[in-house]
Amino acid sequence: MRFVRYSDGSGPAWGVQTDAGIHALAADPAGEPSYEDLTNQRYLDRLASAVDDGALPVVDPDEVDRLAPVPRPGKIVCAGLNYHDHAEEQDEEVPDVPMLFSKASTAVTNPGSPIVHPGGDEQVDYEVELAAVIGRRATDVDEDEVDDYVAGYTVLNDVSGRDAQMSDGQFFRGKSYDTFAPLGPTLVAGDEFDPNAVDVELRVNGETKQSSNTEQFIFDIHELISYISADMTLEPGDVVTTGTPGGVGIFRDPPELLEPGDTCEAEIEGIGTLENPVVAE
């Protein structure tokens, strides 16, 4: 089931997206969902029945603005070097354990909103990533229990300032410029979505730059979240990103970085396409 967070001008709202449009959850007797609700298959089944029965009003997707499914995550925990093809393009050894870093939650921006290029000598790059949104408080979770703690999956474009990243010797500043974490366009919940076997792609101005499948993961979703939760508690609304495949701009010959006027489209099978223009500061 694909959930969307949107605004029709009267404030943020949640809906379920189908081919018919967006089914507004404000009209559901249970109200709009929490992230924990989305971990409950019975809740999802009941909501699916309400949608199928036409019990909820339908909103035209073209008449609303899409919003990030998590506007301000408590934390964004990112995995680096987590695709075999990305390790190969860097001529790096496959890591023995996940390589983690973080992005500031203030970097999150909405589908369709601009990625703001900071100017100067900053090299701005793109990275399509599958992101898991945590639905329940998770501490030391076993791999076979991870699905019970995930509210759903969405797309994150891990926009990166490579000059800051390389000159600082760590990732936080370069990954955390304002607008450097576009998130959306939907949040897919339920056991029908297999996060470890979906196509991922990123296009710049319509030209494909990254194309892979999450079967290329070095550490899959269950291994990754279990590993993180062993050392830090994950809270509802936290976002865990899973790394990016090969094809990023900085490792192309010559490098192909983002510039004002470009448009990024980050697409993941079953979730949708996250599109954002690049503008000057």
Side-chain angles (χ1 to χ4, degrees):
M1 184 174 292
R2 292 197 296 170
F3 290 85
V4 293
R5 187 169 167 270
Y6 66 94
S7 174
D8 61 2
S10 60
W14 281 92
V16 173
Q17 181 174 314
T18 69
D19 291 342
I22 297 173
H23 303 257
L25 295 185
D28 185 69
E32 297 182 349
S34 68
Y35 296 116
E36 185 171 3
D37 286 334
L38 303 188
T39 68
N40 186 329
Q41 190 61 47
R42 284 180 296 180
Y43 170 82
L44 298 178
D45 291 342
R46 184 194 64 76
L47 198 55
S49 294
V51 169
D52 291 343
D53 292 343
L56 303 175
V58 178
V59 177
D60 184 346
D62 294 332
E63 299 298 323
V64 300
D65 294 320
R66 299 298 180 96
L67 303 175
V70 189
R72 281 293 178 267
K75 50 185 172 289
I76 304 174
V77 185
C78 307
L81 205 66
N82 196 38
Y83 278 73
H84 286 282
D85 53 13
H86 189 40
E88 289 169 5
E89 76 175 351
Q90 298 181 66
D91 197 26
E92 293 278 1
E93 295 290 332
V94 171
D96 294 326
V97 295
M99 299 171 58
L100 303 179
F101 61 93
S102 64
K103 291 175 78 83
S105 63
T106 48
V108 170
T109 194
N110 299 317
S113 293
I115 297 166
V116 179
H117 194 299
D121 296 328
E122 188 56 87
Q123 298 175 302
V124 179
D125 209 345
Y126 51 80
E127 294 188 8
V128 59
E129 305 207 7
L130 177 68
V133 176
I134 302 301
R136 296 169 52 200
R137 194 171 193 267
T139 302
D140 202 17
V141 176
D142 291 337
E143 290 180 24
D144 60 2
E145 297 177 336
V146 163
D147 289 340
D148 296 334
Y149 291 83
V150 175
Y153 296 93
T154 190
V155 184
L156 183 138
N157 187 350
D158 180 19
V159 182
S160 305
R162 300 300 190 189
D163 184 68
Q165 179 183 341
M166 302 306 177
S167 63
D168 290 358
Q170 52 82 29
F171 291 4
F172 186 68
R173 181 169 70 99
K175 295 285 188 174
S176 296
Y177 286 108
D178 289 348
T179 75
F180 272 26
L183 194 67
T186 69
L187 181 66
V188 176
D191 54 16
E192 295 180 0
F193 182 81
D194 182 357
N196 297 316
V198 290
D199 291 332
V200 299
E201 183 171 298
L202 186 134
R203 299 177 294 276
V204 178
N205 303 328
E207 181 179 347
T208 299
K209 303 295 185 180
Q210 295 180 280
S211 182
S212 190
N213 189 284
T214 56
E215 292 175 338
Q216 284 279 323
F217 278 156
I218 295 169
F219 303 100
D220 69 22
I221 285 284
H222 303 87
E223 294 170 312
L224 190 59
I225 292 178
S226 178
Y227 177 84
I228 294 168
S229 73
D231 297 311
M232 70 181 80
T233 296
L234 296 170
E235 299 281 0
D238 284 350
V239 174
V240 175
T241 75
T242 55
T244 199
V248 297
I250 197 66
F251 294 116
R252 290 178 170 270
D253 187 17
E256 299 177 14
L257 287 308
L258 296 175
E259 299 291 346
D262 289 340
T263 298
C264 272
E265 297 173 283
E267 181 176 5
I268 296 183
E269 178 185 3
I271 298 176
T273 301
L274 173 64
E275 182 174 337
N276 299 88
V278 182
V279 302
E281 188 174 34

